[in-house]
Each structure stands twice: as structure tokens, then as C-alpha cells.
């Protein structure tokens, strides 16, 4: 069971945003989508979710189903999308907000089966005690849990999370990521998460894909892929890498750090995470 | 949060009995009681008026009309005619008009995800006012024969406005903000055009225009009741059928609604067209009745919650109640004079609305 994207091109009007991206995600795998603002992460995710449509290229699931040819409703039964938390003007109660995830499955009146999925998703996200509260009363972290519960109620095989942690404080970021990884494993979905924090990506994802200017420029386990070179190329930032509890960690540097703290750029590299000579020279200069 | 990690979840859970709150008992009860209240208010509203009809008279009139009998004495005949030709259409127009404006308000607020939106946000009211003003100028300020021209003038410009708004905004995928801004622009445009007419008009024409904009059910007629009834009879089942799509658009946003399988642009276009038609036809018959379309959805939301599956019906009930009661009050306070329902509904509704805003926890945020 593989989500396979080949030579995907997506654009708004004349502007191409995704320019021939190819990647695949296995079932039970959580893949981090990394890249600077405007690199095409969000557009790629929205295209898989059927929110945008592609100019060319293919998106297939399970080695055969062409996701771009499915009806909106059928696609929604396979792919679920978790947006950044959004402000709400009117409060549904939480149970009804999660029920929105069943929209592709029922007409006007939810069936018992729909409610069963809602209850299960709420329990899964630790929301069962809050069911009757209005979504407008929730904290950011709880709100994000409601959005993930909604996606789970959709009973998807592919789960897409578009920067779900951006608006959260560190505690809820951590919770959300743990939940995302948990769900990927236990519900056995193919999951893609767009994320800005490289350290969190290294900590929680199985694999990372770097997008730059709409093209995949690196793809692999964080420890294999992260390098000062790549990160400089993608974000324009000088970094050092370290390993903490078995996870690669990224530490941005600035000229000022060096002069003030008396650090020099010849800080020992860790294991295979080697900074190239040219960059060392640049920092020293 | 510990439960998040420990609960094993079967990916396809077995169906289990629904908890009581999922049966929506409160909502269904509220709707049933609401319908009863509308009927009671309507019967009371029919009795109120200068010729002092009693409930017996009302029921006798219904019976006579059903059986096709004509009363022999002059007094009963007059009474029957007053009830059938004046009171009943007036009360029914208040009920249907209130329901239509409230439904339109609910749809606009949900589709544009904005609690400040009313049926008039897209500029339908100023456009209708301009159409009516033009008709008054062309056909003269006297009512009667001119009434139908007023209706047609208002209708033409309402639809013209709606078509303009939708076609202009659809170049931007009917985004909520675009729709609202285009609506504001056209409101200003038609407002200015009407002001031009008023500026150059004779006094009696000016008075007629102003009277139209107050909004009342004084000129109600059976054909209006029938048209509005048919319109609602077609629109309501469709909107109800779309209620889960509306929920997705209103509460999840455009992108998420699309990812939930909703054809957002199509649903929004169809539903706005319906809401605009309901508004246009209603105010073509009544003039501009404010407040109810903005506030009835909020009152309804505070009582039955925001789920469109129940909200639309209950909004309609609140709108109907608000107008039928306001019309009755408007006929009572300065008997035999009549204060237009468009003035009274804000006077009656605003305190109720304030009370609900300040006392309910489920705040409108």
C-alpha cells in the first residue's frame, strides 16, 4: 500500500508552485515535509487532498487507484486533511465538529455507524469528556485535537497534516506530533506532515522530504539527510548538528554567536554529520 | 492526554448505542414548540384589528371557505371578507416573509462565515429600493395599480444586483471576503442612485419612497402569499438536503470542506442564489424589513445550536414569530393606525436579542 506521486506539477494561474515533485509514502509511515515558506509544501498537500488540482503528473494509491480521477466524495473517504487551526465564528459542540469528518459518508442524517466513528475518534484524542462543549471554548491544543479527531472520523487511509503545530505552544506541539505518529502506526495510515521545526521532524518522523522551489531535493531518514550543507541551501542558515538521545538535532548559528561567546567554527563534528570545508572557512571569515 | 497513548482503537469500531444527546431531542422539541407558537401567534394576529374579530369568527371563516358556503347576513359576510381578504394574507405574509428572510440570513452567515452578515449584505436591499423608487417615479406615487409595478421594479433590480455580485465575485472563486466587499460596493452604488432620485423627486414621490423602505405587510395580497409559499416549499427541502455540506463550509472552512468531499463553489453558488431569491421576492412584496434576517439566525443558534440541520428550520420559526408578533403589535399600539412591521420588529427584537447575548454562555464570538 503506497501513496505514489510522480512528476506532479501544480500552479496558481501562471505561477507554477510544485514543479515536478515525485515521492512515495508507505502505509504506517509518517513522512515530514520540510522546506522554507513558499517552497510548495502546503500546495503539495492540498493537491493530494483534492483542494487544488494538478496541472500534470499523477497521484496514485495502493498501486492503482488514481486519486486525481476519484470524485470529491470518494477521495474524502481515502484522504483526510488536517489544516492549521482556524478561528471559528460560530460554535458547534465538539461532537458535531468531529461529525463533520463523516460528511462524505452520510446525507442529511448521520447513521449509527457515523456516530460510532465519532465516539471512537473522540476517545482516541482524549476528547470524550468535552463532547458537549462548544469549539469556541477550546484552547489551541484542544482545537487541534478536534481537527485531528475529525480527520480520524473520516476513516482515512492517507492522512495529511498541514503545519498542524504552527499556532501551538511547545506542549501542544509535542502532543500533536505524538498523536500524529501514534495514529500513523495504530490506524496504519500513510501520513505526511508539513512542518517547520527540523528538530521535531527529526524526533517524530520516519522520513523527511525537503522541498525547494517545488522540487524534491532530499529524501530519507533525518539522520541520513540532515547536513549543514542542505540546511544552508534550503533555509540560508548556518547550522551545527548534534545527536541527542539518538535523534539528530539542528542548532542555527549566527556571526554574533561566534564573536560573543568566543566559539570558533571548528567545533568538532559529530559522527558522520560533517560540515564541509568551504562552509567552515566562510564562518571563520 | 495519557488516554491518547493508551487507548487501542479498532480502525472500524462496532456500532454502539448512541448517547441520548445525539438524538437531538432538544432541537426537535424546540422546533415542535416553535411551530405551535407560530400557529397560536397567527390566530391571535388574525383577530387583532379594527373590526374586532373573535376566534370563533376566524374558525367560521375557515369553515365557510372550506365548505364553500357563503354567509347570508351582511355582518358575517363583511367579517368573513375582512378575515379572508385582509387579515389572513397579512398574517401569512408576515410568517412567510419572516421565515424567508431568516433562512436567507442563516445561509448568508454560514456561507460567508460571518456573524455580521444579513440578507442585505450583498446589496439586495438598496438595489430593490432603487427599483421600487424608479417604479414610483415612472408610475406615480399612488398605490393600488402601481403596487404591481413596485414589486416588479424591486424584483428586477434585486436580481440584477445578485447576478452582478455573483459574477463579479466568481472571478475570485466566490471567496467570502470578495462577496462581502462587492456587496458593499453595490450597496453604495444603488444607495447613491436612490438618493439621486430622492433628491430630485416631488414631495409625494419622496414620501412614497420612504414609506416603501420602512417595510410592512400592509399591501399584502394572496398572490404574494402563494408565491412565497411555493418558493419556500421548493427551497427548504433543498437547503435541508444540503445541510451537512453547509455545516462543512461554515465550520471547517473552504479548504477543509473540499477535503471532506463538498463541492464548495457549486454549493455556495446555488445556496446564495436561493438565499438571494428568497430575500428579493420577500422585500419586493414588503419593502425593506430589517433586523429579522440578521438576528433571527442568532436567536435560533442560541437555542438549538449551530448545526444547520436544525438551525435552518428553527431560524425560519423565529423569523416568522418575530414578524407576526411585530405586525400584531404594530396594529395594536396606535389603533386604528398601523406602525410598519419593519420598525416594530427591531423595537421588539432588539431587547430579546440583547437579553440572549448577555445571559447565554454559548456566546456569539
Amino acid at each position: 500500500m503506497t501513496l505514489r506521486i510522480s512528476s506532479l506539477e501544480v500552479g496558481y494561474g501562471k505561477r507554477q508552485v510544485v514543479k515536478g515533485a515525485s515521492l512515495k509514502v508507505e502505509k504506517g509511515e509518517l513522512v515530514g515535509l520540510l522546506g522554507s515558506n513558499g517552497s510548495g509544501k502546503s500546495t503539495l498537500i492540498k493537491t493530494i487532498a483534492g483542494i487544488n488540482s494538478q496541472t500534470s503528473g499523477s497521484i496514485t494509491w495502493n498501486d492503482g487507484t488514481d486519486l486525481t480521477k476519484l470524485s470529491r466524495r470518494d477521495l474524502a473517504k481515502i484522504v483526510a486533511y488536517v489544516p492549521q487551526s482556524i478561528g471559528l465564528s460560530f460554535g458547534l459542540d465538539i461532537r458535531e465538529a468531529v461529525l463533520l469528518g463523516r460528511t462524505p459518508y452520510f446525507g442529511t442524517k448521520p447513521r449509527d455507524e457515523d456516530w460510532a466513528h465519532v465516539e471512537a475518534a473522540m476517545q482516541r484524542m482524549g476528547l470524550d469528556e468535552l463532547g458537549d462543549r462548544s469549539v469556541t471554548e477550546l484552547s489551541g491544543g484542544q482545537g487541534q485535537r478536534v481537527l485531528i479527531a475529525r480527520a480520524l472520523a473520516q476513516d482515512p487511509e492517507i492522512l495529511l497534516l498541514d503545519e498542524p503545530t504552527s499556532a501551538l505552544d511547545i506542549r501542544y506541539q509535542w502532543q500533536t506530533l505524538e498523536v500524529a505518529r501514534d495514529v500513523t502506526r495504530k490506524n496504519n495510515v500513510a501520513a505526511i506532515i508539513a512542518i517547520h521545526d527540523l528538530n521535531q521532524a527529526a524526533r517524530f518522523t520516519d522520513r523527511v522530504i525537503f522541498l525547494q522551489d517545488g522540487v524534491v531535493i532530499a529524501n530519507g531518514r533525518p539522520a541520513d539527510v540532515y547536513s549543514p550543507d542542505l540546511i544552508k541551501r534550503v533555509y540560508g542558515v548556518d547550522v551545527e548538528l548534534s545527536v541527542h538521545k539518538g535523534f539528530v538535532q539542528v542548532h542555527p548559528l549566527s556571526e554574533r554567536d561566534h564573536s560573543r561567546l568566543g566559539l570558533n567554527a571548528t567545533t568538532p563534528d559529530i559522527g558522520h554529520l560533517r560540515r564541509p570545508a568551504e562552509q567552515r572557512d566562510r564562518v571563520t571569515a | 492526554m495519557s488516554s491518547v497513548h493508551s487507548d487501542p482503537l479498532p480502525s472500524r469500531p462496532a456500532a454502539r448505542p448512541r448517547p441520548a444527546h445525539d438524538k437531538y431531542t432538544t432541537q426537535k422539541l424546540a422546533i415542535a414548540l416553535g411551530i405551535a407558537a407560530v400557529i397560536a401567534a397567527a390566530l391571535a394576529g388574525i383577530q387583532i384589528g379594527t373590526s374586532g374579530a373573535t376566534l370563533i369568527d376566524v374558525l367560521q371563516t375557515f369553515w365557510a371557505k372550506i365548505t364553500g358556503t357563503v354567509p347570508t347576513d351582511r355582518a358575517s359576510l363583511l367579517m368573513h371578507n375582512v378575515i379572508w381578504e385582509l387579515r389572513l394574507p397579512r398574517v401569512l405574509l408576515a410568517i412567510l416573509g419572516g421565515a424567508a428572510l431568516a433562512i436567507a440570513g442563516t445561509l448568508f452567515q454560514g456561507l460567508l462565515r460571518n456573524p455580521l452578515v444579513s440578507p442585505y449584505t450583498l446589496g439586495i436591499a438598496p438595489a430593490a429600493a432603487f427599483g421600487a423608487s424608479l417604479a414610483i417615479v415612472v408610475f406615480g406615487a399612488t398605490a393600488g395599480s402601481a403596487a404591481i409595478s413596485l414589486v416588479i421594479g424591486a424584483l428586477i433590480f434585486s436580481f440584477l444586483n445578485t447576478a452582478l455580485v455573483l459574477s463579479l465575485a466568481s472571478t475570485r472563486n466566490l471567496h467570502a471576503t470578495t462577496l462581502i466587499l462587492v456587496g458593499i460596493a453595490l450597496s453604495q452604488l444603488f444607495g447613491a442612485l436612490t438618493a439621486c432620485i430622492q433628491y430630485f423627486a416631488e414631495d409625494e414621490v419622496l414620501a412614497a419612497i420612504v414609506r416603501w423602505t420602512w417595510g410592512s405587510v400592509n399591501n399584502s395580497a394572496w398572490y404574494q402569499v402563494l408565491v412565497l409559499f411555493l418558493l419556500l416549499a421548493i427551497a427548504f427541502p433543498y437547503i435541508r438536503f444540503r445541510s451537512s455540506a453547509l455545516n462543512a463550509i461554515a465550520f471547517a472552512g473552504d479548504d477543509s470542506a473540499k477535503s471532506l468531499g463538498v463541492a464548495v463553489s457549486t454549493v455556495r453558488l446555488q445556496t446564495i442564489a436561493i438565499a438571494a431569491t428568497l430575500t428579493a421576492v420577500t422585500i419586493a412584496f414588503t419593502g425593506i424589513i430589517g433586523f429579522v434576517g440578521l438576528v433571527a439566525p442568532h436567536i435560533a443558534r442560541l437555542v438549538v445550536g449551530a448545526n444547520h440541520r436544525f438551525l435552518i428550520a428553527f431560524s425560519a420559526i423565529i423569523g416568522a414569530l418575530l414578524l407576526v408578533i411585530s405586525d400584531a403589535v404594530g396594529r395594536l399600539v396606535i389603533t386604528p393606525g398601523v406602525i410598519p412591521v419593519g420598525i416594530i420588529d427591531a423595537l421588539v427584537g432588539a431587547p430579546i436579542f440583547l437579553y440572549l447575548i448577555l445571559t447565554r454562555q454559548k456566546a456569539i464570538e
Side-chain angles (χ1 to χ4, degrees):
Chain A
M1 301 285 256
T2 313
L3 170 67
R4 202 181 295 270
I5 295 166
S6 343
S7 337
L8 191 71
E9 308 244 347
V10 192
Y12 302 106
K14 284 181 182 158
R15 198 167 57 93
Q16 278 313 100
V17 179
V18 177
K19 301 167 184 168
S22 298
L23 56 101
K24 52 183 188 174
V25 183
E26 302 291 335
K27 222 170 184 190
E29 190 186 25
L30 178 60
V31 170
L33 196 56
L34 299 168
S36 58
N37 289 326
S39 59
K41 302 190 296 288
S42 208
T43 304
L44 177 61
I45 280 188
K46 285 180 180 175
T47 309
I48 305 170
I51 298 166
N52 298 332
S53 45
Q54 87 277 25
T55 330
S56 66
S58 70
I59 307 172
T60 59
W61 171 239
N62 204 5
D63 298 325
T65 317
D66 185 345
L67 294 185
T68 62
K69 296 263 171 15
L70 289 182
S71 75
R72 225 172 240 304
R73 226 180 153 99
D74 287 338
L75 181 65
K77 293 176 183 175
I78 298 176
V79 182
Y81 163 77
V82 179
Q84 294 186 26
S85 53
I86 51 162
L88 293 163
S89 314
F90 309 118
L92 283 180
D93 67 39
I94 292 171
R95 184 170 279 102
E96 286 181 320
V98 175
L99 180 66
L100 291 178
R102 300 302 293 172
T103 307
Y105 293 92
F106 71 88
T108 310
K109 192 168 179 272
R111 306 154 301 164
D112 285 349
E113 190 195 333
D114 297 312
W115 286 117
H117 274 93
V118 169
E119 295 300 327
M122 285 175 57
Q123 211 169 43
R124 184 85 179 76
M125 298 307 296
L127 293 167
D128 27 0
E129 302 299 315
L130 302 172
D132 298 321
R133 298 261 295 276
S134 163
V135 290
T136 52
E137 298 168 35
L138 298 180
S139 68
Q142 289 169 324
Q144 196 63 50
R145 269 150 66 196
V146 171
L147 293 179
I148 297 177
R150 182 177 87 198
L152 294 185
Q154 225 171 317
D155 198 18
E157 295 172 70
I158 299 167
L159 181 64
L160 308 169
L161 302 107
D162 190 2
E163 295 182 21
T165 53
S166 299
L168 305 179
D169 68 28
I170 186 150
R171 173 177 163 216
Y172 289 125
Q173 289 182 3
W174 209 253
Q175 272 184 4
T176 303
L177 290 164
E178 284 183 323
V179 161
R181 191 190 47 195
D182 248 37
V183 163
T184 308
R185 300 275 189 274
K186 288 188 184 143
N187 291 30
N188 201 23
V189 297
I192 301 180
I193 180 169
I195 187 168
H196 275 304
D197 190 313
L198 293 165
N199 293 334
Q200 290 178 346
R203 175 76 177 71
F204 287 101
T205 63
D206 302 306
R207 191 151 61 83
V208 290
I209 289 172
F210 279 88
L211 272 189
Q212 186 172 33
D213 207 15
V215 181
V216 175
I217 59 163
N219 180 350
R221 288 190 330 117
D224 297 339
V225 172
Y226 282 12
S227 74
D229 229 11
L230 177 70
I231 289 163
K232 173 82 179 169
R233 187 176 153 202
V234 173
Y235 299 100
V237 179
D238 291 312
V239 297
E240 286 178 342
L241 302 180
S242 68
V243 173
H244 177 70
K245 296 193 174 173
F247 298 101
V248 55
Q249 299 288 291
V250 176
H251 310 281
L253 298 170
S254 74
E255 299 288 338
R256 209 182 301 156
D257 285 340
H258 290 272
S259 50
R260 193 176 61 231
L261 300 173
L263 295 173
N264 61 53
T266 53
T267 311
D269 290 337
I270 291 136
H272 63 284
L273 306 165
R274 205 165 290 285
R275 285 188 300 118
E278 45 166 301
Q279 192 183 349
R280 197 153 40 217
D281 296 340
R282 231 187 54 72
V283 173
T284 325
Chain B
M1 276 305 288
S2 62
S3 61
V4 169
H5 310 294
S6 54
D7 287 345
L9 175 85
S11 69
R12 288 185 185 279
R16 67 177 110 165
R18 268 182 288 161
H21 49 249
D22 288 338
K23 290 179 179 145
Y24 295 107
T25 326
T26 325
Q27 284 80 354
K28 287 172 184 168
L29 192 67
I31 289 172
L33 286 176
I35 292 172
V38 171
I39 293 171
L43 287 175
I46 295 169
Q47 293 172 57
I48 292 166
T50 40
S51 10
T54 62
L55 189 59
I56 306 285
D57 293 324
V58 176
L59 295 176
Q60 271 177 355
T61 310
F62 288 170
W63 183 247
K65 286 291 169 186
I66 291 165
T67 54
T69 52
V70 179
T72 43
D73 60 308
R74 270 185 76 86
S76 328
L77 187 63
L78 186 67
M79 183 63 82
H80 283 202
N81 279 340
V82 166
I83 289 172
W84 191 257
E85 299 301 333
L86 296 178
R87 296 281 188 280
L88 203 55
R90 143 172 235 129
V91 163
L92 289 178
L93 188 63
I95 289 175
L96 296 172
L101 289 175
I103 289 176
T106 311
L107 292 177
F108 279 127
Q109 287 176 3
L111 287 165
L112 304 180
R113 284 190 294 280
N114 188 328
L116 305 178
V117 159
S118 84
Y120 303 145
T121 301
L122 296 191
I124 298 173
F130 175 69
S133 307
L134 212 57
I136 291 169
V137 170
V138 174
F139 297 99
T142 46
S145 65
I148 192 79
S149 63
L150 278 183
V151 169
I152 290 170
L155 263 186
I156 289 174
F157 279 90
S158 303
F159 284 126
L160 188 71
N161 169 80
T162 306
L164 261 175
V165 169
L166 289 181
S167 52
L168 288 175
S170 60
T171 62
R172 294 280 184 280
N173 289 324
L174 293 176
H175 272 302
T177 315
T178 313
L179 276 167
I180 292 172
L181 289 175
V182 171
I184 289 173
L186 287 177
S187 292
Q188 298 296 326
L189 179 69
F190 282 112
L193 288 172
T194 310
C196 279
I197 292 183
Q198 290 176 332
Y199 186 74
F200 293 109
E202 308 283 325
D203 280 355
E204 56 178 321
V205 172
L206 187 60
I209 293 174
V210 171
R211 214 177 305 124
W212 187 86
T213 58
W214 282 335
S216 78
V217 287
N218 291 346
N219 300 318
S220 56
W222 270 110
Y223 85 89
Q224 300 174 340
V225 172
L226 208 65
V227 168
L228 214 46
F229 176 78
L230 286 176
L231 203 58
L232 281 169
I234 296 165
F236 185 78
Y238 174 79
I239 299 163
R240 213 185 124 77
F241 163 70
R242 284 293 196 194
S243 60
S244 58
L246 283 171
N247 281 338
I249 296 174
F251 308 120
D254 283 13
D255 282 355
S256 294
K258 280 182 194 167
S259 79
L260 291 167
V262 176
V264 173
S265 299
T266 314
V267 172
R268 178 171 281 148
L269 187 67
Q270 289 172 350
T271 322
I272 286 181
I274 288 171
T277 307
L278 288 173
T279 310
V281 172
T282 304
I283 65 174
F285 294 154
T286 63
I288 299 164
I289 299 177
F291 194 75
V292 59
L294 170 68
V295 161
H298 285 298
I299 295 177
R301 238 177 246 118
L302 290 167
V303 178
V304 299
N307 185 345
H308 285 87
R309 190 177 144 208
F310 302 101
L311 177 64
I312 291 161
F314 199 68
S315 274
I317 287 167
I318 296 290
L321 267 180
L322 200 56
L323 282 205
V324 87
I325 291 171
S326 301
D327 178 48
V329 171
R331 280 181 285 149
L332 274 176
V333 273
I334 52 163
T335 329
V338 176
I339 303 178
V341 65
I343 295 174
I344 299 286
D345 81 319
L347 288 178
V348 172
I352 300 175
F353 189 39
L354 282 176
Y355 169 79
L356 284 170
I357 293 172
L358 298 176
T359 54
R360 282 310 186 98
Q361 281 303 309
K362 267 192 228 165
I364 302 163
E365 289 179 5

